[in-house]
Amino acid sequence: MKGEELTEQETALYDRQIRVWGVDAQRRLSKSHILVSGLRGTAIEFCKNIVLAGVGSVALNDDRPVTEEALSANFLIPSDGETLVGKTVAEVCSESLKDFNPMVRVSVEKGDISSYGADFFGKFDVVVVCCYSLAAKRMVNEKCRKLSKHVAFYTVDCRDSCGEIFVDLQDYAYTKKKFDETTECQLHYPSFEEAISVPWSSLPKRLSKLYFAMRVIERFEDVENRRYGETSSVDLASVLKLRTELCQANSANESQVPDSLLGRLIAGPSEFPPVCAVIGGILGQEVIKAISGKGDPVKNFFFFDAADGKGVIEDISSNA
């Protein structure tokens, strides 16, 4: 990777951002390969951002047929229904995404990637899964960690007007510059399973309530064998019952997972485009930092709630 230089065309096209983060960072971006699975609104915003930034290639995975639901926050799907017949969301989005930057290779991967072997993920430098079930997040993250190469792994979820990003960079070295001084830094990231297994009683009291609420709904969907987002206000009583059980098991106070927050998250399965833009933008910045090795990355959760307009970073690990 280090021996490959930017072409004249790449240098001219990315001139402005090269001035911001340097030639080496842009070279790393242009040689990187990204997999994005689950093309909902937040993932689409992310795809747009990294394609414009000039990554080497983006592989899209989403075998769902195009429906009204898919159109809700996905601006890559054209409104002309006749051209969409018989195509998957990934196929339609790939054609639109190519127009943003012809220098980025955009392809489609078909099938349930959570069932694929670890070698499949070795083709990529970054794996992003959007709106995945609890079991699927665990499986994909575990397979990425089995590889000899380091594959950056991200999950992103958007429920109602709230969003969550999880980051696993494993053992990650990077540099940060302050004034004229450059510092070498290193971080150790837990896996997704390790992070969510930290007992709630050992977490900071001021931890984002979104963390707990997301875990409750995630567990509810898993226990009830529901697909991501298959909840509604009808399920609130059952979700609150599970919340009570989880709080008791973790010696945690139920006030950390408010009824009102859980009600919002399960009642609004559709994504809010403005929230998708915020979360997709943050995720794009984080992936660019991970690939370039420059700047402090998120460790290891990011939460955003449009109700108060705040974004919060939380380090949730056994040694935090």
Side-chain angles (χ1 to χ4, degrees), residues 282-299:
I282 295 295
L283 181 58
Q285 291 176 0
E286 288 307 307
V287 168
I288 288 171
K289 285 192 284 187
I291 294 171
S292 66
K294 293 187 176 181
D296 289 309
V298 163
K299 181 177 185 288

Side-chain angles (χ1 to χ4, degrees), residues 6-68:
L6 293 173
T7 65
E8 288 186 16
Q9 187 179 5
E10 287 174 322
T11 302
L13 180 62
Y14 304 129
D15 177 67
R16 288 188 177 183
Q17 54 206 53
I18 287 173
R19 294 171 189 266
V20 174
W21 53 55
V23 174
D24 183 61
Q26 188 62 50
R27 179 187 56 75
R28 288 173 178 268
L29 281 172
S30 69
K31 310 307 175 188
S32 64
H33 306 290
I34 320 293
L35 171 66
V36 185
S37 182
L39 301 178
R40 299 177 188 264
T42 308
I44 292 304
E45 289 284 354
F46 165 71
C47 288
K48 174 204 69 179
N49 293 334
I50 59 169
V51 164
L52 290 174
V55 296
S57 70
V58 178
L60 306 179
N61 171 250
D62 195 324
D63 293 340
R64 292 177 300 152
V66 177
T67 61
E68 285 294 325

Side-chain angles (χ1 to χ4, degrees), residues 207-249:
L207 190 78
S208 171
K209 290 179 171 59
L210 265 176
Y211 172 77
F212 301 108
M214 288 289 194
R215 303 291 74 77
V216 171
I217 296 175
E218 196 174 58
R219 183 71 66 86
F220 177 78
E221 290 173 341
D222 184 58
V223 170
E224 295 292 323
N225 199 26
R226 306 272 188 96
R227 286 183 295 183
Y228 180 95
E230 283 190 345
T231 56
S232 69
S233 55
V234 175
D235 298 307
L236 183 57
S238 298
V239 170
L240 292 177
K241 181 175 181 291
L242 178 61
R243 183 271 313 270
T244 299
E245 293 171 357
L246 290 175
C247 285
Q248 290 175 348

Side-chain angles (χ1 to χ4, degrees), residues 40-43 72-73 130-131 157-160 268-273 276:
R40 299 177 188 264
T42 308
S72 63
C130 178
C131 302
D157 296 309
C158 190
R159 297 178 187 268
D160 188 67
S270 297
E271 296 174 293
F272 284 15
C276 294

Side-chain angles (χ1 to χ4, degrees), residues 4 79 177 190 224 319:
E4 300 180 52
S79 57
K177 190 172 184 179
E224 295 292 323
N319 59 351

Side-chain angles (χ1 to χ4, degrees), residues 3 61 65-66 110 144 206 265 292:
N61 171 250
V66 177
K110 294 187 176 183
C144 288
R206 297 178 66 87
L265 297 183
S292 66

Side-chain angles (χ1 to χ4, degrees), residues 68-314:
E68 285 294 325
E69 179 189 1
L71 286 167
S72 63
N74 191 330
F75 56 80
L76 291 182
I77 300 178
S79 57
D80 183 4
E82 293 183 4
T83 65
L84 310 180
V85 177
K87 293 184 178 180
T88 66
V89 171
E91 289 170 334
V92 173
C93 290
S94 68
E95 294 303 316
S96 300
L97 197 58
K98 291 173 184 176
D99 295 335
F100 282 80
N101 188 346
M103 295 190 68
V104 176
R105 300 182 300 281
V106 181
S107 62
V108 173
E109 293 283 355
K110 294 187 176 183
D112 176 11
I113 66 166
S114 66
S115 66
Y116 291 0
D119 290 346
F120 168 78
F121 299 98
K123 301 186 294 183
F124 306 101
D125 301 295
V126 176
V127 171
V128 176
V129 297
C130 178
C131 302
Y132 259 40
S133 69
L134 175 61
K137 289 176 185 176
R138 286 168 167 159
M139 284 191 287
V140 175
N141 186 210
E142 181 182 342
K143 289 170 183 177
C144 288
R145 281 182 155 254
K146 286 181 178 178
L147 298 165
S148 57
K149 66 179 283 188
H150 278 187
V151 175
F153 174 80
Y154 299 82
T155 73
V156 57
D157 296 309
C158 190
R159 297 178 187 268
D160 188 67
S161 57
C162 300
E164 172 189 85
I165 298 172
F166 167 76
V167 183
D168 178 13
L169 303 181
Q170 300 182 45
D171 291 310
Y172 178 69
Y174 67 101
T175 61
K176 62 179 180 180
K177 190 172 184 179
K178 188 173 183 180
F179 303 114
D180 293 327
E181 185 177 337
T182 300
T183 306
E184 299 286 336
C185 305
Q186 185 141 2
L187 292 173
H188 173 71
Y189 285 75
S191 68
F192 179 72
E193 175 64 20
E194 289 168 340
I196 65 171
S197 296
V198 176
W200 292 3
S201 58
S202 67
L203 294 172
K205 291 183 179 180
R206 297 178 66 87
L207 190 78
S208 171
K209 290 179 171 59
L210 265 176
Y211 172 77
F212 301 108
M214 288 289 194
R215 303 291 74 77
V216 171
I217 296 175
E218 196 174 58
R219 183 71 66 86
F220 177 78
E221 290 173 341
D222 184 58
V223 170
E224 295 292 323
N225 199 26
R226 306 272 188 96
R227 286 183 295 183
Y228 180 95
E230 283 190 345
T231 56
S232 69
S233 55
V234 175
D235 298 307
L236 183 57
S238 298
V239 170
L240 292 177
K241 181 175 181 291
L242 178 61
R243 183 271 313 270
T244 299
E245 293 171 357
L246 290 175
C247 285
Q248 290 175 348
N250 283 276
S251 301
N253 194 308
E254 289 185 25
S255 64
Q256 292 177 290
V257 201
D259 296 14
S260 58
L261 179 55
L262 289 171
R264 282 174 54 202
L265 297 183
I266 67 171
S270 297
E271 296 174 293
F272 284 15
V275 176
C276 294
V278 172
I279 302 298
I282 295 295
L283 181 58
Q285 291 176 0
E286 288 307 307
V287 168
I288 288 171
K289 285 192 284 187
I291 294 171
S292 66
K294 293 187 176 181
D296 289 309
V298 163
K299 181 177 185 288
N300 52 341
F301 281 89
F302 174 82
F303 300 98
F304 177 78
D305 188 345
D308 58 18
K310 293 181 179 179
V312 181
I313 297 172
E314 301 283 10

